[in-house]
Amino acid sequence: MNKSIESLLNDQIGYEANASMHYLAMASWADENGYNGVSEFFYNQSEEERAHMIKLVKFVNERGGKVVIPALDKPKPEFESLNELFEDFLRSEMFVTEQISHIIFECLNKKEYNVHNFMQWYVTEQLEEEAVARTLLDKLNIIGDDKSGHYLFDRDINAIATSVDQE
Ligand code: OFO
């Protein structure tokens, strides 16, 4: 495997791992603040990002590359509001999408077509995750400060997320 592509994939392993821990911190904050639906959503998101990380680790190993498991950033422990939580979620997903696009661009430059092919799965995944994050943030912006709206959002979040996933 081309060394610069190997290094980009190792960076990506770190981004997925950081996203997983970031979402775990969000799940825990939501749990602590009585948003059980939101916390369940982020516990699941955290698991998903961990699965994305492991998929990359296995792929690099299968292709004879060298995986270097990175140190993680300390996730933010506190959030002002549900809006801040979901703004961070969308920002995090947009960052990951940018990095994936960069890997794909470099794969074409370096003629690493197998990696290019493998990364298409991540492109599709990111499209879905960004769509879910945008939809949830739009709903929160409509709700504003209305507490009963937050209650219903928390109750319905997993149904909303699943319905976006299936579109
Ligand atoms: Fe949504 O970050 Fe993984 O790919």
Side-chain angles (χ1 to χ4, degrees):
M1 180 184 294
N2 175 287
K3 281 289 158 195
S4 66
I5 298 294
E6 179 188 272
S7 156
L8 286 175
L9 292 177
N10 270 304
D11 289 347
Q12 192 61 34
I13 287 168
Y15 300 142
E16 303 288 347
N18 274 321
S20 176
M21 297 312 275
H22 191 173
Y23 298 160
L24 184 58
M26 289 171 158
S28 178
W29 179 86
D31 214 349
E32 188 188 328
N33 286 279
Y35 297 116
N36 297 341
V38 172
S39 80
E40 210 43 50
F41 173 81
F42 279 110
Y43 282 129
N44 289 337
Q45 284 302 126
S46 175
E47 284 297 323
E48 277 195 25
E49 299 305 345
R50 182 180 148 74
H52 299 172
M53 171 194 69
I54 290 180
K55 194 175 168 78
L56 277 159
V57 168
K58 290 186 172 170
F59 177 75
V60 174
N61 280 322
E62 272 164 18
R63 300 270 302 132
K66 173 73 190 157
V67 170
V68 182
I69 301 295
L72 298 179
D73 299 338
K74 188 171 189 289
K76 184 162 133 184
E78 289 298 336
F79 300 86
E80 287 292 315
S81 61
L82 282 180
N83 277 62
E84 187 185 329
L85 200 72
F86 282 88
E87 278 160 12
D88 281 11
F89 177 41
L90 178 57
R91 203 173 303 121
S92 163
E93 290 302 327
M94 287 171 68
F95 171 77
V96 168
T97 302
E98 257 177 55
Q99 308 315 309
I100 288 169
S101 301
H102 179 57
I103 296 176
I104 286 180
F105 177 77
E106 288 302 320
C107 283
L108 289 177
N109 271 343
K110 304 283 187 303
K111 299 190 167 56
E112 279 280 2
Y113 298 120
N114 284 328
V115 183
H116 181 273
N117 194 30
F118 170 76
M119 291 307 294
Q120 296 308 311
W121 182 88
Y122 286 84
V123 172
T124 309
E125 186 68 17
Q126 283 311 114
L127 270 174
E128 277 174 18
E129 289 188 340
E130 275 197 33
V132 167
R134 279 205 179 82
T135 301
L136 293 172
L137 192 54
D138 285 349
K139 300 251 182 258
L140 280 172
N141 285 332
I142 293 167
I143 292 165
D145 290 334
D146 177 22
K147 285 216 182 321
S148 56
H150 286 163
Y151 171 82
L152 294 175
F153 177 88
D154 184 59
R155 192 193 64 183
D156 296 341
I157 179 171
N158 284 310
I160 301 167
T162 310
S163 74
V164 181
D165 252 358
Q166 287 163 353
E167 275 166 16

PDB file of all heavy atoms in Angstrom, residues 26-40 43 82 85 147 150-157:
ATOM      1  N   MET A  26     -21.340  12.758  24.566  1.00  0.00           N
ATOM      2  CA  MET A  26     -22.658  13.371  24.324  1.00  0.00           C
ATOM      3  C   MET A  26     -23.764  12.492  24.909  1.00  0.00           C
ATOM      4  O   MET A  26     -24.715  13.001  25.520  1.00  0.00           O
ATOM      5  CB  MET A  26     -22.889  13.510  22.820  1.00  0.00           C
ATOM      6  CG  MET A  26     -22.023  14.564  22.171  1.00  0.00           C
ATOM      7  SD  MET A  26     -22.217  14.431  20.386  1.00  0.00           S
ATOM      8  CE  MET A  26     -21.709  16.055  19.882  1.00  0.00           C
ATOM      9  N   ALA A  27     -23.623  11.171  24.728  1.00  0.00           N
ATOM     10  CA  ALA A  27     -24.625  10.226  25.261  1.00  0.00           C
ATOM     11  C   ALA A  27     -24.692  10.352  26.776  1.00  0.00           C
ATOM     12  O   ALA A  27     -25.780  10.391  27.366  1.00  0.00           O
ATOM     13  CB  ALA A  27     -24.252   8.795  24.858  1.00  0.00           C
ATOM     14  N   SER A  28     -23.521  10.443  27.380  1.00  0.00           N
ATOM     15  CA  SER A  28     -23.472  10.503  28.835  1.00  0.00           C
ATOM     16  C   SER A  28     -24.082  11.817  29.349  1.00  0.00           C
ATOM     17  O   SER A  28     -24.845  11.819  30.332  1.00  0.00           O
ATOM     18  CB  SER A  28     -22.006  10.362  29.261  1.00  0.00           C
ATOM     19  OG  SER A  28     -21.923  10.468  30.640  1.00  0.00           O
ATOM     20  N   TRP A  29     -23.782  12.931  28.666  1.00  0.00           N
ATOM     21  CA  TRP A  29     -24.372  14.224  29.057  1.00  0.00           C
ATOM     22  C   TRP A  29     -25.900  14.148  28.953  1.00  0.00           C
ATOM     23  O   TRP A  29     -26.627  14.595  29.855  1.00  0.00           O
ATOM     24  CB  TRP A  29     -23.826  15.350  28.162  1.00  0.00           C
ATOM     25  CG  TRP A  29     -24.420  16.686  28.492  1.00  0.00           C
ATOM     26  CD1 TRP A  29     -23.989  17.574  29.437  1.00  0.00           C
ATOM     27  CD2 TRP A  29     -25.587  17.275  27.883  1.00  0.00           C
ATOM     28  NE1 TRP A  29     -24.817  18.689  29.454  1.00  0.00           N
ATOM     29  CE2 TRP A  29     -25.800  18.525  28.515  1.00  0.00           C
ATOM     30  CE3 TRP A  29     -26.475  16.871  26.882  1.00  0.00           C
ATOM     31  CZ2 TRP A  29     -26.864  19.364  28.170  1.00  0.00           C
ATOM     32  CZ3 TRP A  29     -27.531  17.707  26.543  1.00  0.00           C
ATOM     33  CH2 TRP A  29     -27.719  18.947  27.189  1.00  0.00           C
ATOM     34  N   ALA A  30     -26.390  13.570  27.853  1.00  0.00           N
ATOM     35  CA  ALA A  30     -27.839  13.480  27.648  1.00  0.00           C
ATOM     36  C   ALA A  30     -28.477  12.586  28.718  1.00  0.00           C
ATOM     37  O   ALA A  30     -29.546  12.904  29.262  1.00  0.00           O
ATOM     38  CB  ALA A  30     -28.136  12.949  26.246  1.00  0.00           C
ATOM     39  N   ASP A  31     -27.792  11.490  29.044  1.00  0.00           N
ATOM     40  CA  ASP A  31     -28.260  10.565  30.078  1.00  0.00           C
ATOM     41  C   ASP A  31     -28.390  11.314  31.414  1.00  0.00           C
ATOM     42  O   ASP A  31     -29.422  11.254  32.095  1.00  0.00           O
ATOM     43  CB  ASP A  31     -27.181   9.464  30.213  1.00  0.00           C
ATOM     44  CG  ASP A  31     -27.767   8.110  30.543  1.00  0.00           C
ATOM     45  OD1 ASP A  31     -28.963   8.088  30.872  1.00  0.00           O
ATOM     46  OD2 ASP A  31     -27.050   7.107  30.468  1.00  0.00           O
ATOM     47  N   GLU A  32     -27.345  12.045  31.744  1.00  0.00           N
ATOM     48  CA  GLU A  32     -27.274  12.783  33.004  1.00  0.00           C
ATOM     49  C   GLU A  32     -28.378  13.849  33.088  1.00  0.00           C
ATOM     50  O   GLU A  32     -28.880  14.154  34.158  1.00  0.00           O
ATOM     51  CB  GLU A  32     -25.885  13.457  33.026  1.00  0.00           C
ATOM     52  CG  GLU A  32     -25.482  14.131  34.284  1.00  0.00           C
ATOM     53  CD  GLU A  32     -24.170  14.914  34.031  1.00  0.00           C
ATOM     54  OE1 GLU A  32     -23.342  14.481  33.197  1.00  0.00           O
ATOM     55  OE2 GLU A  32     -24.020  15.977  34.659  1.00  0.00           O
ATOM     56  N   ASN A  33     -28.744  14.399  31.917  1.00  0.00           N
ATOM     57  CA  ASN A  33     -29.721  15.495  31.912  1.00  0.00           C
ATOM     58  C   ASN A  33     -31.144  15.043  31.594  1.00  0.00           C
ATOM     59  O   ASN A  33     -32.008  15.872  31.303  1.00  0.00           O
ATOM     60  CB  ASN A  33     -29.259  16.580  30.938  1.00  0.00           C
ATOM     61  CG  ASN A  33     -28.099  17.366  31.511  1.00  0.00           C
ATOM     62  OD1 ASN A  33     -28.298  18.270  32.322  1.00  0.00           O
ATOM     63  ND2 ASN A  33     -26.883  16.987  31.150  1.00  0.00           N
ATOM     64  N   GLY A  34     -31.383  13.742  31.647  1.00  0.00           N
ATOM     65  CA  GLY A  34     -32.753  13.228  31.517  1.00  0.00           C
ATOM     66  C   GLY A  34     -33.259  13.066  30.101  1.00  0.00           C
ATOM     67  O   GLY A  34     -34.445  12.813  29.896  1.00  0.00           O
ATOM     68  N   TYR A  35     -32.374  13.206  29.113  1.00  0.00           N
ATOM     69  CA  TYR A  35     -32.804  12.988  27.713  1.00  0.00           C
ATOM     70  C   TYR A  35     -32.477  11.543  27.321  1.00  0.00           C
ATOM     71  O   TYR A  35     -31.451  11.268  26.693  1.00  0.00           O
ATOM     72  CB  TYR A  35     -32.077  13.960  26.780  1.00  0.00           C
ATOM     73  CG  TYR A  35     -32.362  15.422  27.035  1.00  0.00           C
ATOM     74  CD1 TYR A  35     -31.346  16.285  27.452  1.00  0.00           C
ATOM     75  CD2 TYR A  35     -33.636  15.947  26.827  1.00  0.00           C
ATOM     76  CE1 TYR A  35     -31.601  17.634  27.670  1.00  0.00           C
ATOM     77  CE2 TYR A  35     -33.891  17.303  27.050  1.00  0.00           C
ATOM     78  CZ  TYR A  35     -32.870  18.133  27.468  1.00  0.00           C
ATOM     79  OH  TYR A  35     -33.117  19.471  27.683  1.00  0.00           O
ATOM     80  N   ASN A  36     -33.362  10.638  27.692  1.00  0.00           N
ATOM     81  CA  ASN A  36     -33.051   9.212  27.486  1.00  0.00           C
ATOM     82  C   ASN A  36     -33.004   8.820  26.015  1.00  0.00           C
ATOM     83  O   ASN A  36     -32.182   8.000  25.608  1.00  0.00           O
ATOM     84  CB  ASN A  36     -34.087   8.329  28.199  1.00  0.00           C
ATOM     85  CG  ASN A  36     -34.036   8.540  29.690  1.00  0.00           C
ATOM     86  OD1 ASN A  36     -33.042   9.055  30.206  1.00  0.00           O
ATOM     87  ND2 ASN A  36     -35.092   8.174  30.388  1.00  0.00           N
ATOM     88  N   GLY A  37     -33.882   9.413  25.204  1.00  0.00           N
ATOM     89  CA  GLY A  37     -33.893   9.091  23.768  1.00  0.00           C
ATOM     90  C   GLY A  37     -32.621   9.589  23.097  1.00  0.00           C
ATOM     91  O   GLY A  37     -31.995   8.875  22.302  1.00  0.00           O
ATOM     92  N   VAL A  38     -32.245  10.825  23.439  1.00  0.00           N
ATOM     93  CA  VAL A  38     -31.026  11.413  22.852  1.00  0.00           C
ATOM     94  C   VAL A  38     -29.813  10.599  23.291  1.00  0.00           C
ATOM     95  O   VAL A  38     -28.912  10.313  22.496  1.00  0.00           O
ATOM     96  CB  VAL A  38     -30.879  12.900  23.265  1.00  0.00           C
ATOM     97  CG1 VAL A  38     -29.541  13.467  22.830  1.00  0.00           C
ATOM     98  CG2 VAL A  38     -32.022  13.734  22.680  1.00  0.00           C
ATOM     99  N   SER A  39     -29.782  10.188  24.554  1.00  0.00           N
ATOM    100  CA  SER A  39     -28.611   9.433  25.016  1.00  0.00           C
ATOM    101  C   SER A  39     -28.543   8.093  24.290  1.00  0.00           C
ATOM    102  O   SER A  39     -27.468   7.686  23.845  1.00  0.00           O
ATOM    103  CB  SER A  39     -28.598   9.274  26.536  1.00  0.00           C
ATOM    104  OG  SER A  39     -29.438   8.251  26.936  1.00  0.00           O
ATOM    105  N   GLU A  40     -29.666   7.443  24.107  1.00  0.00           N
ATOM    106  CA  GLU A  40     -29.671   6.159  23.369  1.00  0.00           C
ATOM    107  C   GLU A  40     -29.171   6.368  21.938  1.00  0.00           C
ATOM    108  O   GLU A  40     -28.374   5.577  21.406  1.00  0.00           O
ATOM    109  CB  GLU A  40     -31.111   5.610  23.370  1.00  0.00           C
ATOM    110  CG  GLU A  40     -31.239   4.110  23.337  1.00  0.00           C
ATOM    111  CD  GLU A  40     -30.260   3.388  24.255  1.00  0.00           C
ATOM    112  OE1 GLU A  40     -30.127   3.719  25.455  1.00  0.00           O
ATOM    113  OE2 GLU A  40     -29.585   2.487  23.731  1.00  0.00           O
ATOM    114  N   TYR A  43     -25.418   6.831  22.198  1.00  0.00           N
ATOM    115  CA  TYR A  43     -24.725   5.565  22.518  1.00  0.00           C
ATOM    116  C   TYR A  43     -24.608   4.736  21.233  1.00  0.00           C
ATOM    117  O   TYR A  43     -23.565   4.152  20.955  1.00  0.00           O
ATOM    118  CB  TYR A  43     -25.480   4.766  23.590  1.00  0.00           C
ATOM    119  CG  TYR A  43     -25.289   5.261  25.020  1.00  0.00           C
ATOM    120  CD1 TYR A  43     -26.373   5.524  25.860  1.00  0.00           C
ATOM    121  CD2 TYR A  43     -24.002   5.454  25.538  1.00  0.00           C
ATOM    122  CE1 TYR A  43     -26.194   5.979  27.156  1.00  0.00           C
ATOM    123  CE2 TYR A  43     -23.815   5.902  26.846  1.00  0.00           C
ATOM    124  CZ  TYR A  43     -24.914   6.163  27.638  1.00  0.00           C
ATOM    125  OH  TYR A  43     -24.733   6.616  28.933  1.00  0.00           O
ATOM    126  N   LEU A  82     -29.451  21.145  23.948  1.00  0.00           N
ATOM    127  CA  LEU A  82     -29.576  20.117  22.905  1.00  0.00           C
ATOM    128  C   LEU A  82     -29.092  20.671  21.571  1.00  0.00           C
ATOM    129  O   LEU A  82     -28.477  19.963  20.775  1.00  0.00           O
ATOM    130  CB  LEU A  82     -31.038  19.678  22.762  1.00  0.00           C
ATOM    131  CG  LEU A  82     -31.585  18.708  23.806  1.00  0.00           C
ATOM    132  CD1 LEU A  82     -33.041  18.395  23.501  1.00  0.00           C
ATOM    133  CD2 LEU A  82     -30.772  17.432  23.885  1.00  0.00           C
ATOM    134  N   LEU A  85     -25.429  20.388  21.296  1.00  0.00           N
ATOM    135  CA  LEU A  85     -25.084  18.965  21.107  1.00  0.00           C
ATOM    136  C   LEU A  85     -25.198  18.586  19.625  1.00  0.00           C
ATOM    137  O   LEU A  85     -24.287  17.983  19.047  1.00  0.00           O
ATOM    138  CB  LEU A  85     -26.061  18.138  21.937  1.00  0.00           C
ATOM    139  CG  LEU A  85     -25.690  16.728  22.314  1.00  0.00           C
ATOM    140  CD1 LEU A  85     -24.595  16.740  23.359  1.00  0.00           C
ATOM    141  CD2 LEU A  85     -26.910  16.008  22.894  1.00  0.00           C
ATOM    142  N   LYS A 147     -39.971  23.642  26.116  1.00  0.00           N
ATOM    143  CA  LYS A 147     -39.610  22.433  26.870  1.00  0.00           C
ATOM    144  C   LYS A 147     -40.437  21.218  26.459  1.00  0.00           C
ATOM    145  O   LYS A 147     -39.931  20.095  26.413  1.00  0.00           O
ATOM    146  CB  LYS A 147     -39.778  22.686  28.374  1.00  0.00           C
ATOM    147  CG  LYS A 147     -38.675  23.536  28.974  1.00  0.00           C
ATOM    148  CD  LYS A 147     -38.349  23.052  30.381  1.00  0.00           C
ATOM    149  CE  LYS A 147     -37.284  23.861  31.092  1.00  0.00           C
ATOM    150  NZ  LYS A 147     -36.165  24.322  30.319  1.00  0.00           N
ATOM    151  N   HIS A 150     -38.973  19.803  23.437  1.00  0.00           N
ATOM    152  CA  HIS A 150     -37.765  19.007  23.732  1.00  0.00           C
ATOM    153  C   HIS A 150     -38.151  17.621  24.227  1.00  0.00           C
ATOM    154  O   HIS A 150     -37.513  16.624  23.887  1.00  0.00           O
ATOM    155  CB  HIS A 150     -36.899  19.704  24.780  1.00  0.00           C
ATOM    156  CG  HIS A 150     -36.177  20.895  24.228  1.00  0.00           C
ATOM    157  ND1 HIS A 150     -35.612  21.862  25.015  1.00  0.00           N
ATOM    158  CD2 HIS A 150     -35.934  21.278  22.949  1.00  0.00           C
ATOM    159  CE1 HIS A 150     -35.046  22.784  24.249  1.00  0.00           C
ATOM    160  NE2 HIS A 150     -35.245  22.450  22.997  1.00  0.00           N
ATOM    161  N   TYR A 151     -39.214  17.588  25.039  1.00  0.00           N
ATOM    162  CA  TYR A 151     -39.690  16.299  25.552  1.00  0.00           C
ATOM    163  C   TYR A 151     -40.094  15.389  24.383  1.00  0.00           C
ATOM    164  O   TYR A 151     -39.706  14.227  24.322  1.00  0.00           O
ATOM    165  CB  TYR A 151     -40.879  16.530  26.512  1.00  0.00           C
ATOM    166  CG  TYR A 151     -41.568  15.263  26.912  1.00  0.00           C
ATOM    167  CD1 TYR A 151     -41.051  14.472  27.933  1.00  0.00           C
ATOM    168  CD2 TYR A 151     -42.725  14.833  26.242  1.00  0.00           C
ATOM    169  CE1 TYR A 151     -41.660  13.276  28.282  1.00  0.00           C
ATOM    170  CE2 TYR A 151     -43.337  13.646  26.587  1.00  0.00           C
ATOM    171  CZ  TYR A 151     -42.803  12.870  27.604  1.00  0.00           C
ATOM    172  OH  TYR A 151     -43.411  11.685  27.940  1.00  0.00           O
ATOM    173  N   LEU A 152     -40.850  15.959  23.433  1.00  0.00           N
ATOM    174  CA  LEU A 152     -41.310  15.149  22.291  1.00  0.00           C
ATOM    175  C   LEU A 152     -40.140  14.767  21.379  1.00  0.00           C
ATOM    176  O   LEU A 152     -40.077  13.651  20.862  1.00  0.00           O
ATOM    177  CB  LEU A 152     -42.371  15.911  21.484  1.00  0.00           C
ATOM    178  CG  LEU A 152     -43.681  16.157  22.228  1.00  0.00           C
ATOM    179  CD1 LEU A 152     -44.612  17.031  21.394  1.00  0.00           C
ATOM    180  CD2 LEU A 152     -44.365  14.840  22.599  1.00  0.00           C
ATOM    181  N   PHE A 153     -39.203  15.698  21.202  1.00  0.00           N
ATOM    182  CA  PHE A 153     -38.013  15.413  20.380  1.00  0.00           C
ATOM    183  C   PHE A 153     -37.262  14.222  20.982  1.00  0.00           C
ATOM    184  O   PHE A 153     -36.877  13.292  20.278  1.00  0.00           O
ATOM    185  CB  PHE A 153     -37.111  16.655  20.352  1.00  0.00           C
ATOM    186  CG  PHE A 153     -35.818  16.464  19.608  1.00  0.00           C
ATOM    187  CD1 PHE A 153     -35.737  16.689  18.235  1.00  0.00           C
ATOM    188  CD2 PHE A 153     -34.661  16.057  20.272  1.00  0.00           C
ATOM    189  CE1 PHE A 153     -34.544  16.506  17.543  1.00  0.00           C
ATOM    190  CE2 PHE A 153     -33.462  15.878  19.590  1.00  0.00           C
ATOM    191  CZ  PHE A 153     -33.408  16.107  18.224  1.00  0.00           C
ATOM    192  N   ASP A 154     -37.078  14.272  22.311  1.00  0.00           N
ATOM    193  CA  ASP A 154     -36.354  13.197  22.994  1.00  0.00           C
ATOM    194  C   ASP A 154     -37.103  11.866  22.867  1.00  0.00           C
ATOM    195  O   ASP A 154     -36.492  10.820  22.670  1.00  0.00           O
ATOM    196  CB  ASP A 154     -36.175  13.566  24.475  1.00  0.00           C
ATOM    197  CG  ASP A 154     -35.357  12.531  25.215  1.00  0.00           C
ATOM    198  OD1 ASP A 154     -34.203  12.300  24.805  1.00  0.00           O
ATOM    199  OD2 ASP A 154     -35.858  11.949  26.187  1.00  0.00           O
ATOM    200  N   ARG A 155     -38.420  11.949  22.942  1.00  0.00           N
ATOM    201  CA  ARG A 155     -39.226  10.731  22.835  1.00  0.00           C
ATOM    202  C   ARG A 155     -39.136  10.130  21.423  1.00  0.00           C
ATOM    203  O   ARG A 155     -39.095   8.922  21.250  1.00  0.00           O
ATOM    204  CB  ARG A 155     -40.694  11.068  23.168  1.00  0.00           C
ATOM    205  CG  ARG A 155     -41.570   9.853  23.364  1.00  0.00           C
ATOM    206  CD  ARG A 155     -43.030  10.225  23.374  1.00  0.00           C
ATOM    207  NE  ARG A 155     -43.452  10.766  22.073  1.00  0.00           N
ATOM    208  CZ  ARG A 155     -44.673  11.230  21.806  1.00  0.00           C
ATOM    209  NH1 ARG A 155     -45.578  11.255  22.746  1.00  0.00           N
ATOM    210  NH2 ARG A 155     -44.970  11.683  20.602  1.00  0.00           N
ATOM    211  N   ASP A 156     -39.078  11.030  20.416  1.00  0.00           N
ATOM    212  CA  ASP A 156     -39.210  10.563  19.022  1.00  0.00           C
ATOM    213  C   ASP A 156     -37.897  10.469  18.260  1.00  0.00           C
ATOM    214  O   ASP A 156     -37.897  10.073  17.093  1.00  0.00           O
ATOM    215  CB  ASP A 156     -40.130  11.512  18.238  1.00  0.00           C
ATOM    216  CG  ASP A 156     -41.540  11.491  18.791  1.00  0.00           C
ATOM    217  OD1 ASP A 156     -41.874  10.521  19.506  1.00  0.00           O
ATOM    218  OD2 ASP A 156     -42.296  12.437  18.521  1.00  0.00           O
ATOM    219  N   ILE A 157     -36.780  10.830  18.872  1.00  0.00           N
ATOM    220  CA  ILE A 157     -35.530  10.976  18.101  1.00  0.00           C
ATOM    221  C   ILE A 157     -35.159   9.719  17.309  1.00  0.00           C
ATOM    222  O   ILE A 157     -34.760   9.812  16.152  1.00  0.00           O
ATOM    223  CB  ILE A 157     -34.348  11.434  18.996  1.00  0.00           C
ATOM    224  CG1 ILE A 157     -33.098  11.531  18.134  1.00  0.00           C
ATOM    225  CG2 ILE A 157     -34.120  10.565  20.189  1.00  0.00           C
ATOM    226  CD1 ILE A 157     -31.915  12.169  18.810  1.00  0.00           C
TER     227      ILE A 157
END
